[in-house]
Amino acid sequence: MIFQQLFDQTSSTFTYVLASRVGGEALIIDPVFEHVDLYVGLLERLRLNLVKAVDTHIHADHITALGALRDITKCITVMGERSSADVVAMRARENETIDIEGLSLQTIYTPGHTDDSYTFSLNDRIFTGDTLLIRGTGRTDFQHGDAHAAYDSLFNKLLKLDDNILVYPGHDYNGNTVSTIGSERAENPRLQVSSANEYAEIMNSLKLPNPKMMDTAVPANRTIGKNQQRLIEAGCAATTEEILRESGGNCLFVDLREEGERNRDGHIPNDLHVSYQQLENALATDCRLSRELKNEETQVVLYCSFGERSALAVERAMEIGNKNVTHMIGGMGAWMRVGGSIAQH
Ligand SMILES: [Fe+2]
């Protein structure tokens, strides 16, 4: 496995790059905007194809690189389902997996530092964001933080894991890089409490100053959705209402989501399933999608969960000369809101 731990000096943030092999698919956790060039260089050196960029929560101390990495690498942005970001391509629920080639991260919902904090588990290690730090824990006094919820996430979820699980936090201010569950259980001063109330008393008496960048970082990190103006101006984007009205639903819908999302949320009846990750290959081969794109009689409508992947995919299809292709604004979320029909399996 390729595993890189990178550090932002300004905000003391750790970023993690994961891949199963040189030349394969990669995933990045908690990237920092100022270091996009560094990440892109690293990916190039290892010939990695970044397919997913994930944030553990909405950060208050730095600006996320999720949007910038999506625009450069065409990767999928991912957060937990409770995220208050306006748009991410995928939202993972508790106990779901975030998959790339050869690696599967499991999501654990760990609210407390914020109400949208998730921990990601990968085999022998966990990426805890600000929920559990080395010899510390994330503050609980803003962004819907809640010390009782944090206690529950720490004691009833993370500390239930095996002692030898490696802890990779979202920050460290003291030069540490990794710990273990056993070491934190024994030595972390915040965890030497006997009740949620005792923990809350400690957390509620910290009286910490707000992070310097909070007023700019939080709003910026909540508005990361892809700018779709170019597609709208080019006439290659349509709302669900327009699609239903103009085609009577009589077009070829292509679902770019992953199998798990289709099974979980259902799909548009009689659609074609080509996941976003398979798209490049599908466009380059003689398959139903590439044939229908060339058939001027067919209007091909690409859709996904919230409209991020379909916007990227339509741009790509147009780039290589396809014209009769439309991005469905808002994805399945919007489709469900207008009462579009849904098939299960
Ligand atoms: Fe945080």
Side-chain angles (χ1 to χ4, degrees):
M1 182 173 81
I2 293 170
F3 175 78
Q4 298 268 330
Q5 184 182 39
L6 305 157
F7 189 63
D8 171 55
Q9 300 277 357
T10 311
S11 62
S12 299
T13 299
F14 284 125
T15 298
Y16 301 93
V17 175
L18 308 170
S20 62
R21 63 179 179 94
V22 170
E25 291 183 352
L27 175 148
I28 194 165
I29 299 174
D30 287 339
V32 175
F33 183 77
E34 283 77 9
H35 302 307
V36 165
D37 291 346
L38 175 86
Y39 308 142
V40 171
L42 175 70
L43 293 163
E44 277 172 9
R45 275 199 303 288
L46 295 171
R47 291 184 287 111
L48 295 173
N49 176 23
L50 184 69
V51 295
K52 287 182 179 162
V54 188
D55 265 355
T56 50
H57 63 292
I58 295 280
H59 297 283
D61 55 1
H62 68 267
I63 293 180
T64 178
L66 254 58
L69 285 170
R70 173 207 54 221
D71 291 343
I72 295 167
T73 69
K74 312 301 175 198
C75 70
I76 293 176
T77 54
V78 187
M79 289 188 77
E81 68 166 336
R82 308 284 185 111
S83 168
S84 59
D86 56 345
V87 185
V88 283
M90 268 182 93
R91 288 173 184 264
R93 293 184 191 164
E94 171 142 63
N95 284 328
E96 286 188 341
T97 58
I98 300 170
D99 303 317
I100 64 165
E101 174 201 358
L103 295 178
S104 190
L105 292 188
Q106 181 136 30
T107 60
I108 309 171
Y109 180 43
T110 49
H113 167 59
T114 65
D115 62 352
D116 68 351
S117 289
Y118 288 75
T119 291
F120 302 113
S121 152
L122 175 69
N123 307 325
D124 63 347
R125 62 199 64 197
I126 53 173
F127 302 95
T128 55
D130 294 3
T131 300
L132 175 60
L133 305 173
I134 299 173
R135 305 299 189 257
T137 55
R139 62 193 295 175
T140 55
D141 57 337
F142 55 62
Q143 288 178 273
H144 308 288
D146 179 327
H148 283 85
Y151 177 90
D152 185 56
S153 296
L154 290 162
F155 283 84
N156 296 324
K157 291 186 175 173
L158 300 188
L159 295 185
K160 297 272 190 226
L161 300 172
D162 285 349
D163 275 3
N164 54 0
I165 291 289
L166 300 168
V167 174
Y168 284 101
H171 297 284
D172 192 85
Y173 307 95
N174 305 305
N176 304 300
T177 54
V178 61
S179 184
T180 63
I181 287 291
S183 168
E184 291 310 308
R185 186 189 287 111
E187 304 290 342
N188 188 322
R190 295 264 176 89
L191 304 181
Q192 312 310 310
V193 293
S194 53
S195 69
N197 283 342
E198 194 184 334
Y199 185 72
E201 250 170 60
I202 295 175
M203 297 311 288
N204 295 338
S205 61
L206 291 177
K207 308 268 182 295
L208 299 165
N210 281 344
K212 285 189 212 81
M213 282 187 67
M214 185 167 165
D215 292 342
T216 46
V218 171
N221 291 339
R222 282 190 177 139
T223 49
I224 58 170
K226 179 175 163 53
N227 184 335
Q228 303 185 359
Q229 204 50 40
R230 197 160 71 87
L231 283 172
I232 293 167
E233 280 163 13
C236 296
T239 63
T240 45
E241 289 93 337
E242 286 166 344
I243 290 166
L244 283 169
R245 193 171 57 234
E246 281 159 30
S247 68
N250 196 14
C251 44
L252 176 66
F253 288 99
V254 178
D255 184 3
L256 299 167
R257 294 171 304 161
E258 297 181 5
E259 194 68 45
E261 297 173 282
R262 274 173 77 80
N263 293 338
R264 186 185 73 189
D265 300 330
H267 59 93
I268 297 177
N270 305 316
D271 62 354
L272 176 67
H273 181 216
V274 178
S275 77
Y276 181 74
Q277 253 126 299
Q278 299 168 322
L279 179 76
E280 204 56 46
N281 205 15
L283 291 173
T285 51
D286 180 31
C287 63
R288 182 163 172 219
L289 176 63
S290 55
R291 285 195 297 275
E292 297 283 14
L293 283 169
K294 286 186 190 78
N295 177 359
E296 286 180 10
E297 305 291 297
T298 315
Q299 187 58 34
V300 178
V301 176
L302 304 189
Y303 80 96
C304 56
S305 290
F306 308 106
E308 285 276 285
R309 281 168 279 186
S310 57
L312 291 165
V314 166
E315 278 181 357
R316 179 69 186 131
M318 287 166 63
E319 230 173 68
I320 57 170
N322 297 291
K323 292 192 184 74
N324 62 334
V325 60
T326 302
H327 146 62
M328 187 168 93
I329 296 169
M332 267 308 258
W335 181 259
M336 287 195 264
R337 280 195 294 281
V338 296
S341 52
I342 292 172
Q344 296 289 346
H345 305 294

